[in-house]
Amino acid sequence: MKLKLLLLVLLFPIILFAQTAQDNANAFVNAFMQGNYDQALSYADSSFKNKVTSAMLGQLRQGIIQKLGDFKKIISTTLKPELSNQACYVFCGFAKDSLDFKTVINKDLKVIGLFLTPHPKNSYSANDPNTYNIQSGNLTLPGTLLIPSKNNHKRLVILVHGSGAHDRDETLGQIKPFRDLADELLKKGIASYRYDKRTYVDPGSLPQNFTVDDEVTDDVLNIIGYFHANDSFRNYKLYIIGHSLGALMAPRIAQKADGVLSGLVMLAAPARQIEDLLLEQAIYLDSLLPDKKRNQALQIIRKKVNYLHSSAFNENSLPDSLPLNQKASYWLSLGSYKPLQIIQSLSQPVLILQGEKDYQVRMTDFNLWKSATKGMPNIRFKSYPELSHIFMPSEGTPGPKDYVGQKHIPGNVTEDIAEWILAH
C-alpha cells in the first residue's frame, strides 16, 4: 500500500478549543492503531463514517504496520490553524519509523478527515551554503547561519522559538516570522542563527520526564556555548531574540549563560503562568463565537487548569488530566520558574516588545514586566498598537485569522530591534 506523503509544518498558537480537538484526535488515532475501529469511528462525523468503514480502517492499519512495524505510542500532537476546521497532527512512533496522522476536526469536534504524512524534517537543503548544524546533547540541530558579506557589525543573534514543534523559520503556513527577522537584520549588518527546534527534529529525543529546560533552555545554552568558543566568532557580541515561550525563558537563559550574552530581546513575553494564559485565550476565543459545543470545550480546558492548580496535582499526575496533555514534569518545571524575579538580577541590556492586538500574551503581561523592572536602566519597553502575537498586522478583532495568509513583520519592528542591538 502506498502512503500519500505531504510535507507539513507545525506551530503552537492556541486556536479555538485546541485542547479538546487534540484530545479527540489523540483518542481517534489511539483507538484506530489499537485495532478498536468502532471506538475510533465514535469520534468521527457522519460524513466520515459514510465513506470509511471499520473494515477499511483495518486494511489501512495493517498496511501501516507492514511498512513501519508495530505501533508504539503517540509522541506528540500539534495543531495548525485553518479557516474553518482544525488540523491536528498526531505524531506516532512505530518499531521501524515514525508517522504523522493529520486528523481534521470540524467545529463540532468530530473527525472529518484522516491523512498520513511523514513527520516534518528539515526542509532546507544540506547543500545550502548557509546551512549550519550544531550538536546539542543527543541531537544535531540543523540551522541557518547568515553573516553579512559587507558592513558586518560583529553582532550575532540567536533566535529562540515559542512553544511547540517549530522549524527554524517559526513557520505557520505562508508566515515565517524568524526568516523575516533574520533577513532584515542581515541587511543591517547583523548576523543571525536560527535552528530547527528539538521537538521539530525529533520529539523522541526528549527524556521521559522532560522539563521546559529540556525543550528550550539547554539547546540554546549549547548553541551559545558553541559560538562563544568558536574562534571564527570570538570578536562577535552574542544576543538572543526570544518569542513567546522563548521570550519567557530568555531571563533564565541569560542567567545560565553567565555573562556571555551582550543583550536579549523578548517578543510577546508571558509574565504569568502558561496555563493561566491558555485559559484566558480559550475564554476570549469562546466569546468570539459562543455556542454549546464550544462552551463544553472551554469547560474541559478550565477543568484541566483547575486540576493543575489544585493540591491533587503532583509528579505522578497523568498527562491527559493536564493542559496540552503535557507531562507533570513539564508543568512542575514551569511552575517553579520565576522570570519576574530572575530578570531583576540581570545586568545585560534587555528590550521587551509587545503587540497590543496580541490575544495570546496580553498587555497585562507587558505591564507586569514593566512593574517588576521599574527603575532598572538596562531595560527598555515598546509596544505596537496594530500588531498581533507574531508581530504582524491584525485587522479588526484579533483572532485565529491573524495567522492566515501571507504576512510579514513590518520594517519598523526590525528597525527598532536592529537599532537597539547596534547601540549595545
Side-chain angles (χ1 to χ4, degrees):
M1 180 194 72
K2 290 185 177 180
L3 303 179
K4 182 177 287 187
L5 305 180
L6 302 173
L7 180 64
L8 301 172
V9 293
L10 305 175
L11 187 72
F12 164 71
I14 298 300
I15 59 173
L16 195 55
F17 313 114
Q19 184 57 58
T20 302
Q22 274 189 310
D23 290 344
N24 287 4
N26 284 345
F28 172 83
V29 171
N30 189 61
F32 165 47
M33 288 311 305
Q34 296 291 347
N36 301 321
Y37 309 122
D38 289 341
Q39 181 182 351
L41 289 172
S42 71
Y43 296 99
D45 183 77
S46 58
S47 62
F48 185 88
K49 290 187 282 189
N50 289 339
K51 298 176 183 177
V52 180
T53 65
S54 293
M56 292 169 66
L57 287 179
Q59 291 175 353
L60 178 59
R61 176 178 176 272
Q62 186 61 32
I64 294 171
I65 291 174
Q66 285 178 354
K67 185 177 181 68
L68 304 180
D70 291 339
F71 172 68
K72 295 297 183 182
K73 63 178 180 178
I74 293 175
I75 298 172
S76 64
T77 305
T78 314
L79 295 106
K80 175 183 174 183
E82 297 186 349
L83 288 174
S84 54
N85 304 313
Q86 297 187 65
C88 299
Y89 300 96
V90 184
F91 178 36
C92 295
F94 294 83
K96 299 178 184 178
D97 206 343
S98 61
L99 186 70
D100 270 358
F101 292 78
K102 177 185 176 183
T103 308
V104 183
I105 308 292
N106 67 9
K107 65 179 182 179
D108 295 321
L109 302 172
K110 293 290 187 178
V111 175
I112 60 172
L114 176 65
F115 305 89
L116 309 179
T117 165
H119 188 67
K121 302 295 183 183
N122 172 29
S123 60
Y124 284 76
S125 169
N127 297 321
D128 187 327
N130 297 317
T131 294
Y132 204 90
N133 302 335
I134 295 178
Q135 186 72 27
S136 179
N138 62 352
L139 193 65
T140 298
L141 300 176
T144 295
L145 176 65
L146 298 181
I147 300 177
S149 59
K150 58 182 180 179
N151 195 32
N152 187 343
H153 292 289
K154 303 294 184 180
R155 264 85 165 171
L156 173 62
V157 168
I158 299 164
L159 297 165
V160 185
H161 328 69
S163 299
H166 289 296
D167 69 3
R168 69 194 69 182
D169 296 331
E170 214 180 33
T171 301
L172 173 58
Q174 296 174 288
I175 298 171
K176 297 180 181 290
F178 278 8
R179 179 181 287 187
D180 283 358
L181 285 172
D183 288 348
E184 291 304 311
L185 290 174
L186 184 68
K187 296 175 184 177
K188 306 293 183 183
I190 298 171
S192 67
Y193 182 70
R194 62 192 198 272
Y195 60 97
D196 293 337
K197 194 176 174 183
R198 175 175 293 270
T199 46
Y200 179 86
V201 178
D202 182 8
S205 67
L206 291 168
Q208 182 173 358
N209 293 314
F210 67 90
T211 67
V212 69
D213 286 334
D214 294 316
E215 180 195 2
V216 180
T217 314
D218 293 345
D219 288 333
V220 183
L221 289 171
N222 286 336
I223 292 169
I224 291 170
Y226 172 86
F227 285 114
H228 181 61
N230 191 313
D231 287 342
S232 298
F233 298 93
R234 190 167 298 280
N235 296 323
Y236 280 73
K237 288 185 175 182
L238 299 180
Y239 304 79
I240 58 170
I241 297 180
H243 177 232
S244 197
L245 179 65
L248 172 67
M249 301 309 299
R252 185 185 191 93
I253 293 165
Q255 182 187 53
K256 287 180 172 287
D258 196 22
V260 171
L261 293 175
S262 293
L264 47 152
V265 180
M266 298 162 57
L267 307 177
R272 295 170 288 162
Q273 292 295 316
I274 294 295
E275 68 271 15
D276 294 332
L277 297 187
L278 296 180
L279 180 57
E280 183 177 79
Q281 291 163 24
I283 292 170
Y284 171 74
L285 292 169
D286 178 56
S287 71
L288 297 181
L289 292 168
D291 68 20
K292 184 176 180 180
K293 286 280 187 181
R294 294 186 177 92
N295 187 258
Q296 289 173 348
L298 170 59
Q299 297 316 312
I300 291 173
I301 299 174
R302 191 189 301 276
K303 180 180 179 181
K304 292 189 175 190
V305 172
N306 288 341
Y307 174 75
L308 181 60
H309 286 171
S310 75
S311 59
F313 169 63
N314 60 67
E315 62 184 7
N316 298 315
S317 295
L318 297 177
D320 60 7
S321 67
L322 299 170
L324 301 178
N325 285 359
Q326 292 284 20
K327 291 192 173 185
S329 57
Y330 186 78
W331 289 110
L332 285 167
S333 69
L334 279 171
S336 65
Y337 174 48
K338 307 299 180 185
L340 293 177
Q341 294 178 17
I342 292 177
I343 198 171
Q344 294 171 358
S345 69
L346 299 182
S347 58
Q348 297 99 328
V350 180
L351 177 62
I352 300 178
L353 303 182
Q354 177 71 33
E356 295 182 19
K357 282 196 159 185
D358 184 347
Y359 68 87
Q360 292 183 241
V361 178
R362 306 289 186 96
M363 289 298 290
T364 300
D365 298 88
F366 185 69
N367 291 325
L368 283 170
W369 290 109
K370 274 189 172 181
S371 297
T373 59
K374 187 176 180 179
M376 293 182 66
N378 59 316
I379 302 185
R380 178 184 167 192
F381 293 85
K382 185 168 184 178
S383 64
Y384 302 88
E386 299 302 320
L387 300 188
S388 69
H389 183 63
I390 50 177
F391 287 81
M392 295 181 187
S394 171
E395 297 179 2
T397 302
K401 64 177 176 53
D402 292 340
Y403 305 99
V404 178
Q406 189 172 39
K407 299 179 181 179
H408 296 280
I409 294 178
N412 63 314
V413 176
T414 51
E415 182 71 37
D416 289 340
I417 294 172
E419 181 181 302
W420 180 87
I421 289 173
L422 294 176
H424 298 91

